[in-house]
Every structure is written in C-alpha cells, then in structure tokens.
Amino acid sequence: MAQPDSKKIFFENLSGAGKAIAVLTSGGDAQGMNGAVRAVVRMGLYVGAKVYFIHEGYQGMVDGGDNIKEATWESVSSMLQLGGTVIGSARCKEFRTHEGRLKAAHNLVQHGITNLCVIGGDGSLTGANLFKEEWSGLLNELVEQGLIEADAVQKYSALHIVGMVGSIDNDFCGTDMTIGTDSALHRIIEVVDAIMTTAQSHQRTFVLEVMGRHCGYLALVSGLACGADWVLIPEMPPEDGWEEKMCQKLSATRSRGTRLNIIIVAEGAIDRHGKPITSSFVKDLVVKCLGFDTRVTILGHVQRGGTPSAFDRILASRMGVEAVLALLETTANTPACVVSLCGNTSVRVPLMECVQMTQEVQKAMDQKRFEEAVKLRGRSFENNLKTYKLLAHRKPESELPTSNFNVAVLNVGAPAAGMNAAVRSAVRVGISEGHKMFAVSDGFEGFYKGQIKEVKWGDVGGWTGQGGSLLGTKRTLPAKHVEKIAEQMRKHNINALLIIGGFEAFESLLQLYEARANYEEFCIPMCILPATISNNVPGTDLSIGADTALNAIVETCDRIKQSASGTKRRVFIIETMGGYCGYLATVGGLASGADAAYIYEEPFDIKELQANVEHLTEKMKTSIQRGLVLRNENCNENYTTDFIYQLYSEEGRGVFDCRKNVLGHMQQGGAPSPFDRNFGTKISAKAMQWVSKKLVETFRQDEGRVFANTEDSCCLLGMRRRTLVFQPVVQLKDETDFVHRIPKEQWWLKLRPLMKILAKYKTSYDVSDSGQLEHVVHNRPKDSDASVAM
C-alpha cells in the first residue's frame, strides 16, 4: 500500500484566525472579477479570518471611511454570474504619491488589515508591490505624526500581497490566461458569428477592430477561432508590401467561391515602422484596391461587458481560493506573488518577475525586436501565431512538399462542439505538409461502406464556427467490420489515421491496434483527439466540446435561477449529461454556484441527501433566496432526479419549494465556444505534425510503403496538467474503467471540496499542490506549447 505523502496537508489544519484580509479590484474591469472576490471572501471566512471589501480600488483605500467594509457570507451571494466588479474599480493618481500611500496605510492599520488581495493589471500589481516595500517606513511615519500607537509598528510589521490578474487583454506575462480574457473572446466570437451571416448575404468584407493597445492576443485568438482572412497585431507587424499581399489573399478567397472576408485588427496594430494601422485605413485600402463592399465594426467596450464565461468563473474561483492559501502561508520574507495558470495548474509566481517580463515585451516592441516580443509573450501566444499562419495562408501548389502519403480523418462517437474546427485544422495542416487528405463520413460505419473522399483546402472553409459534426459521426466500433475497413484502407491507400471523438474513439483505436496482428493495413501511424462533452476519455484533463457544454449548463442555470427572482424561496434540481462521468455536474456546479452536485465517482446515501437538505434549509432561513442542486444522469440508479426532487420538496416544505429541470441534448448543441475552437484547432495541428513525423520515420524505402507496428505509433494526444502529451493507447488501458467508461483517476475531483467550501459546507481541502513559488522563466516545461486556455 502506498505511503501517505508527507507533503500532503489538508486545509482543516490551516487557520486564518486573527488574520484580516482585504480584497480590492483595480484598473480596468474584467468579467470574472466578481467570482474571484466571492472566492476570496468565502475562503477567508471559512478559515476564520476577517475579510474586508475595499470599494473603488486604490481610491477607496486612500479615502477610507465607508469604502472599507467588512464582508459577510451573504454579501457575495448572487454575484458569480455578474460581469464587471460589484465592489467598483477606479484609477487613482493619489495612490501614486507617497502621501496617498501614507493615507492608505493609515486606513488599513485602523482595520487591522495586513493581508491584501489585489485583482487588477500590471499597473495595479506594481503599485501593490511598491506599497509592500514602503510599508514599515509608512508605519514609522504614522507613529511620528501621532496617528497610530508605537506598538502598532510591531503588531502590523509586514504587509502581505497576493495578486490575481484581471485583464481582458491577456497581456500579463507569467500566466497562460488572465481573468476576463475568455469572456471577452466570447463577446468577440458572438459578434463575428453574427456578422458572418450578414456578410455572406451581401458578399461583404468586414473589418473588425478589437481591444488590445499593446497586446494582440484577442485579435490573434479570435482570428484563429473564426478563420479570419487576415489578422493585424502589434507584436508581429506585417512585412512591407503587406497591403498588396492582403488584397491578393482576399481576391483569391473570393475567386474560390467564398462570399465574405473577415479582417481582424487589434487597436494597437502597427506596421514595421511603428505607424498605426487603423481599421478605417484597412477598409479604405480594400475598397480602393478591390472595390469590395466593406464595412468597419469597432467592438469597443462590448468586449468588457456581459456575464463571465464558465471558464472565467472556474478560473476566478480557483485563483481566489489559491490567493487565500498564499496569504495564510506568507511570512515576512515572502515576496509578493501572483496566482497564475500554467496549463491546467494553479501556480504562484513572484509578482515583480512577471511585471519585469511584461515590461520587457513592450521594450522589445519599441525597439522593433518583434520576433523576441512574440517569444516573451510565452509559448501559448507563440503557438497561436504559428498555428494561425499555418491555417490561414495557403501556399501555392508549387511551394508545397510532395509526400505521397494519404491521411484519413473521421469523427467517432457522439457529436461535440469543436470537432469541425479540429477537422479543418487537420485537413489544412495535412495539405501544408504535402499529404492527400481524405474525409470519412459517419465514422467507422461510413468507413466500411466506403464513404471516403478526398478533401481540399477550400472544402473546410468556414467550418470552425459550426457546431456538431459536419462529417457525420456514429458510435459504431470497428471490431465487427475490421475486414471491410482494411479493404477500404487498401483501396484508398490510407497511410495514417486521425480519429476525433470520445470514449468510442478510444475503444476503436484499441481495437485497430489489436487488429494489427491480422491486418497489416492497420500498421500505420494512428492518433486520437479526445472530443466529447462528457470529458471521460483517459489520458487527458480536457476534451474538445466540454467547455461549450459547460457554458450551456451555466447559461441555463443563470436563467433558471433568475426565473425565481421576486418569488418565494426556491431550490432547483438540475440533471446534466455525462454518462458515469461527473465532470459536467461538478465543474458546472462550481461555475454556477451550486449548493450540491451528485456524481457517480463520489458515492452518496440517504444520510448525505438528508444532510444536504438540512444545510440548504438553514441557508434559506437567512437571506439566501435560491438554491441549486446538480445531478449527473447516472450518479445513482435509485436516487433519481425525481426522487431527489420529491425528497427536497417534502423536507423543505414550509421553507422553500422545488423545481426540476433535465437539460438533455441542449448540452451537445450550439456553436462551439472560443476555447473549444482553439483547443480543437491547436491539438489537431499538433497531431498532424506528429503524423507527418511518424510517416517519415516508418516509411520503408525498400518496400515503398509505411509500416508502423510499435505502441508509440498508436497514440492519444491529451492535455496532462501543463503539457500536451502523446500517449500510446495500450498504456492507457490500465488507467481506464471500461465498464463505466471513465478514467480511474480524475483531476477535477479535487475541485469538489472547493465547490462545497464556497457553498458553506465544512470539509477538508487538499492543498498538496499548493505552496510552491515558481519562477516565471521556469514555470513551463520545454515541450509545453499549449495552454489549457488557448
């Protein structure tokens, strides 16, 4: 039996008794800030600390008075789904002066606050660090002026700072994703999708200007997510003569039958000489050179508005809890840190290292060292740029390599949003690598029936934003039809296979691997990309399609909860999909502020159900108006949704009434989220490059054919914590519960205590992954070229 890890600490052993924590939001607002504030307040109260709001950012800290208020559990209720920041944000010139910081220090000491959680951009965090460095000197000045007692200097000797980055621009080095970026991408993509329909009707060109004065992340990723024809960003200005090249590209696209063009311009876009490239300049250029009907749309502050996406709510909640842990563990010598996201992992990095690297990016851009600026932005940004160039700019036939390899792509299992983006990416990268690409309709059913045809570059245009599976997908496994499939592979001379799908796709690849013993046709490179809303594929933390399903759940929960506003107290019982995998119920519950989530992986009994009802009844007797309970469809065969609904209805009689809702297949539908579009696009591009490499490695010159019969030529590409990893499917068998179609170990189970804590349950929280301060330059493995974000 494995020995318990000595480093494993449980949260119940940590105490915040006697500590006072203040939380403020500063600089520009960003969706998700409220989720971070809520998490800081509730986690702080949970460990016994006093928690304070500082309203209006640093201005409120300087002004004091009613701007600094003690927070209660109920004061952060119903704020998770709100955009902006409910505690207000303001830019404060006074805090930049020594006198202003002296006033702020006085106001904090009066409330006994020495722990500060700052949610803002690099300017706000730099200000916080300066405040920390000056703290002891400021206290001595306050003593000299007679504003505080001499013993206060000893009592409040150190100011502890932990930052979280709230910025829609994603312009802060040291984190893969900042709070608000994903929601801003949602706003952009919603607009682009809407514009595309009208642009097609009139054969128009649209020039979209998105935010990003110094950072082109939003422009780049939204361009990747919608398949834009041209993207202009400040980090990588176009080469001289770009105007002519762009017009040639637009003209060529139209000549192939496309009825619209989309050009995305970051507000800070410049040319190689530092001259701004405006959206109006681009429009005039297109009209003058091509005569196309062209319109400009400037998105402006729409990008900052609206409700936060599921991703931002989860990110903010995880970061808020991690920030409180960091504050509890700080000592007088601990440097100010920022809670960051690296891959799928929360990490702490020194604040000033991040700020200095962020400033280095701007310095490199000012000095026209653009290649270096892109590298300094991080591997995720660099990889986005490479992928965009690979997919958007088609090389002339004469420049393409000729590999003489045929690669087939198919979808297997239930449809998942983002599958089409993955197919588009595979086809275009494959063509760029010199392969002939074949699309198989209707999964393995279509394969054995011979529904295979060659696809060209233009055939997958506009696929990125389409939901479902345009190729068609079936749950049919290949085992019964192996002979016919092998025959079709011979007929079309298929040299490699890329399967995009869920658990059935994983099982299919295992069957094809086993069939190698009898059929040499399957001795070729084969790769699976996990794509399922259930997120139940072994070997990956995330699957294409799960983010879109989460957003559908969260959006519906918001609407359902809103339907009860103004009525008496009400509890909603909501059933989610997922088979035996509780990912959607758990993470959807965390993102929508649920009181409980019942799942198969965590068995429960009637006593726990009763305790949950009593807990909710107590909360309802105070000021809580609405309750939310999620249930995974297969969590328990006896405790059905109807049973739980009737139990809550009976036990809550006189305190609250109940409603139930089965979300059903709406979780599978809709346009893919920006996350799923980009995740699908990037992992598919990486998979095709792996396929190309394997084809070269396994090609036998003497026989003139591909022969691959090793474990590592039949892989699943998955996100594991911080990196994308190719794993032989055979090696994943031991990690899999085939009866229930789930991995034996699932990372997201660690989020369940977090959900319970934020719902006011007493529980232990595993912090074995926390507490490590990492350096910003070392916090990514060399192979990490993809973030969990985008």
Side-chain angles (χ1 to χ4, degrees):
M1 196 173 184
Q3 292 297 311
D5 185 349
S6 60
K7 291 181 181 177
K8 188 172 261 198
I9 312 159
F10 282 93
F11 196 77
E12 56 200 4
N13 299 331
L14 293 168
S15 173
K19 290 206 172 193
I21 298 170
V23 58
L24 70 130
T25 53
S26 175
D29 65 319
Q31 308 97 316
M33 278 184 165
N34 290 323
V37 170
R38 171 180 176 267
V40 169
V41 169
R42 291 195 167 175
M43 197 60 161
L45 293 173
Y46 184 81
V47 298
K50 268 192 172 184
V51 187
Y52 291 87
F53 292 133
I54 298 179
H55 291 270
E56 311 307 334
Y58 286 121
Q59 191 65 56
M61 199 194 293
V62 172
D63 294 342
D66 288 342
N67 288 306
I68 303 175
K69 286 182 182 171
E70 193 171 345
T72 64
W73 193 273
E74 288 74 26
S75 60
V76 291
S77 293
S78 302
M79 69 189 283
L80 186 59
Q81 69 270 26
L82 299 176
T85 164
V86 297
I87 60 173
S89 181
R91 303 194 187 276
C92 180
K93 287 183 181 176
E94 202 174 348
F95 189 75
R96 294 177 187 173
T97 66
H98 183 77
E99 292 72 20
R101 292 192 291 277
L102 192 65
K103 285 183 191 175
H106 185 215
N107 289 326
L108 292 188
V109 169
Q110 283 183 315
H111 290 88
I113 298 166
T114 55
N115 297 281
L116 210 53
C117 184
V118 181
I119 308 166
D122 60 336
S124 305
L125 298 176
T126 305
N129 191 66
L130 177 63
F131 193 38
K132 173 184 166 69
E133 288 173 352
E134 290 183 349
W135 181 256
S136 56
L138 294 170
L139 294 194
N140 288 327
E141 279 186 58
L142 291 171
V143 171
E144 286 169 18
Q145 293 177 19
L147 294 171
I148 60 172
E149 298 296 324
D151 62 348
V153 176
Q154 188 65 33
K155 191 176 179 183
Y156 307 116
S157 59
L159 178 67
H160 306 298
I161 302 278
V162 172
M164 285 181 271
V165 190
S167 163
I168 67 164
D169 292 336
N170 203 28
D171 57 352
F172 192 81
C173 294
T175 185
D176 285 345
M177 249 345 217
T178 58
I179 296 168
T181 304
D182 187 66
S183 301
L185 285 168
H186 272 257
R187 298 298 90 79
I188 295 168
I189 293 305
E190 283 162 14
V191 171
V192 173
D193 285 352
I195 275 174
M196 276 182 157
T197 54
T198 182
Q200 269 182 325
S201 302
H202 298 278
Q203 295 196 57
R204 280 185 178 143
T205 296
F206 268 88
V207 181
L208 266 82
E209 184 183 300
V210 301
M211 282 186 165
R213 244 176 325 184
H214 306 293
C215 179
Y217 186 88
L218 289 178
L220 178 58
V221 174
S222 56
L224 200 53
C226 71
D229 295 280
W230 205 269
V231 171
L232 293 157
I233 60 171
E235 289 90 344
M236 186 51 70
E239 300 288 345
D240 290 347
W242 66 273
E243 298 92 340
E244 189 181 340
K245 284 182 184 173
M246 185 185 77
C247 290
Q248 283 173 354
K249 166 89 190 296
L250 300 180
S251 184
T253 308
R254 285 290 178 96
S255 67
R256 289 194 294 270
T258 306
R259 293 178 59 86
L260 78 156
N261 299 109
I262 300 286
I263 301 164
I264 297 183
V265 184
E267 62 179 329
I270 53 171
D271 65 16
R272 288 268 153 181
H273 310 287
K275 184 185 170 189
I277 300 174
T278 64
S279 49
S280 57
F281 173 79
V282 175
K283 178 210 166 185
D284 293 342
L285 179 69
V286 174
V287 172
K288 180 184 168 188
C289 296
L290 299 172
F292 290 172
D293 185 2
T294 308
R295 298 284 190 275
V296 171
T297 299
I298 299 172
L299 269 65
H301 283 74
V302 165
Q303 295 156 88
R304 284 194 191 280
T307 58
S309 66
F311 183 95
D312 272 329
R313 298 183 196 198
I314 296 155
L315 177 65
S317 299
R318 288 175 72 182
M319 283 187 167
V321 167
E322 186 68 24
V324 173
L325 289 176
L327 285 170
L328 290 180
E329 293 168 12
T330 50
T331 63
N333 300 320
T334 307
C337 74
V338 177
V339 178
S340 299
L341 185 74
C342 180
N344 194 25
T345 310
S346 292
V347 296
R348 303 173 195 171
V349 285
L351 189 154
M352 287 317 293
E353 281 187 20
C354 297
V355 169
Q356 281 157 13
M357 190 165 276
T358 304
Q359 290 168 349
E360 280 294 315
V361 177
Q362 192 56 51
K363 198 184 292 180
M365 285 161 63
D366 292 342
Q367 294 172 2
K368 299 186 174 53
R369 293 180 282 118
F370 299 114
E371 297 282 348
E372 192 179 331
V374 168
K375 280 188 167 57
L376 286 167
R377 278 273 179 239
R379 291 299 297 257
S380 176
F381 188 93
E382 193 177 1
N383 195 48
N384 278 318
L385 187 58
K386 282 179 185 172
T387 309
Y388 176 76
K389 285 178 177 177
L390 201 60
L391 297 174
H393 301 294
R394 183 183 185 182
K395 290 178 183 173
E397 297 285 339
S398 57
E399 289 181 28
L400 289 174
T402 49
S403 69
N404 297 318
F405 292 124
N406 295 346
V407 181
V409 183
L410 69 157
N411 294 335
V412 176
M419 276 183 164
N420 297 321
V423 172
R424 169 186 176 267
S425 178
V427 168
R428 292 197 168 178
V429 173
I431 290 169
S432 296
E433 302 268 324
H435 311 317
K436 262 191 181 180
M437 297 301 296
F438 289 83
V440 182
S441 300
D442 298 333
F444 282 105
E445 191 174 307
F447 211 135
Y448 80 80
K449 289 178 179 175
Q451 293 169 217
I452 304 164
K453 64 173 186 178
E454 188 181 348
V455 275
K456 302 286 189 182
W457 187 281
D459 296 337
V460 290
W463 280 35
T464 318
Q466 300 283 329
S469 165
L470 292 172
L471 283 184
T473 180
K474 294 278 177 76
R475 294 180 184 270
T476 309
L477 296 177
K480 290 179 183 175
H481 312 284
V482 165
E483 194 172 332
K484 287 182 180 176
I485 292 168
E487 189 183 312
Q488 291 295 337
M489 292 186 78
R490 271 197 309 276
K491 183 179 172 184
H492 293 90
N493 189 28
I494 302 298
N495 307 121
L497 209 54
L498 181 67
I499 305 172
I500 300 161
F503 200 87
E504 291 91 352
F506 171 64
E507 287 182 299
S508 298
L509 209 51
L510 279 172
Q511 290 178 3
L512 294 182
Y513 177 80
E514 284 160 12
R516 281 177 168 180
N518 300 315
Y519 298 92
E520 284 195 354
E521 288 80 4
F522 301 117
C523 293
I524 58 172
M526 296 186 284
C527 184
I528 170 185
L529 301 180
T532 166
I533 69 164
S534 304
N535 199 30
N536 63 332
V537 180
T540 187
D541 289 356
L542 295 160
S543 300
I544 300 163
D547 183 73
T548 305
L550 274 178
N551 278 290
I553 292 167
V554 167
E555 195 177 315
T556 309
C557 288
D558 286 352
R559 291 183 181 188
I560 286 171
K561 285 200 290 186
Q562 194 181 49
S563 72
S565 63
T567 66
K568 58 183 179 178
R569 294 182 174 92
R570 184 166 286 169
V571 173
F572 295 96
I573 315 294
I574 295 174
E575 182 185 299
T576 66
M577 291 175 89
Y580 286 95
C581 181
Y583 176 81
L584 290 179
T586 297
V587 183
L590 180 61
S592 53
D595 295 278
Y598 300 115
I599 62 169
Y600 166 77
E601 292 92 340
E602 202 171 272
F604 58 97
D605 54 21
I606 194 69
K607 288 179 184 174
E608 187 173 337
L609 284 168
Q610 184 66 36
N612 291 158
V613 177
E614 288 170 6
H615 179 82
L616 206 47
T617 305
E618 285 303 307
K619 282 170 73 176
M620 286 287 183
K621 284 177 181 174
T622 56
S623 61
I624 304 295
Q625 295 293 318
R626 297 180 289 278
L628 187 65
V629 174
L630 270 62
R631 177 191 175 274
N632 166 252
E633 58 184 349
N634 288 346
C635 65
N636 189 295
E637 60 181 334
N638 295 313
Y639 300 137
T640 62
T641 301
D642 281 335
F643 178 90
I644 292 172
Y645 162 70
Q646 287 165 5
L647 176 72
Y648 273 75
S649 297
E650 183 60 34
E651 296 299 317
R653 196 187 297 276
V655 181
F656 58 80
D657 66 358
C658 262
R659 295 288 186 273
K660 65 176 177 177
N661 200 302
V662 177
L663 299 185
H665 282 76
M666 62 158 288
Q667 295 158 86
Q668 276 185 342
S673 67
F675 180 98
D676 279 330
R677 296 181 194 202
N678 285 283
F679 189 52
T681 298
K682 285 168 73 172
I683 69 168
S684 189
K686 190 174 179 71
M688 279 307 301
Q689 287 167 336
W690 175 86
V691 164
S692 296
K693 186 181 164 198
K694 286 289 175 191
L695 283 167
V696 172
E697 285 175 6
T698 57
F699 183 69
R700 294 184 171 180
Q701 292 283 356
D702 52 335
E703 298 174 32
R705 66 171 181 142
V706 172
F707 187 84
N709 200 19
T710 53
E711 286 185 2
D712 68 352
S713 62
C714 185
C715 285
L716 178 143
L717 174 57
M719 166 62 72
R720 281 284 176 101
R721 289 175 63 84
R722 300 190 184 193
T723 52
L724 283 172
V725 190
F726 288 96
Q727 302 145 97
V729 288
V730 177
Q731 293 177 18
L732 294 172
K733 281 173 78 172
D734 293 339
E735 297 181 24
T736 309
D737 173 353
F738 283 94
V739 175
H740 298 99
R741 298 157 55 85
I742 52 173
K744 289 177 182 174
E745 288 187 18
Q746 311 208 62
W747 69 272
W748 51 264
L749 287 169
K750 284 189 174 184
L751 298 180
R752 285 186 65 74
L754 184 67
M755 186 191 75
K756 290 178 181 177
I757 287 167
L758 297 179
K760 215 174 184 177
Y761 284 92
K762 285 287 173 189
T763 186
S764 60
Y765 181 57
D766 181 356
V767 294
S768 55
D769 287 342
S770 301
Q772 297 300 311
L773 192 68
E774 301 187 9
H775 293 288
V776 67
V777 288
H778 300 306
N779 74 337
R780 281 170 190 75
K782 285 181 183 176
D783 295 337
S784 176
D785 59 0
S787 70
V788 67
M790 281 160 280

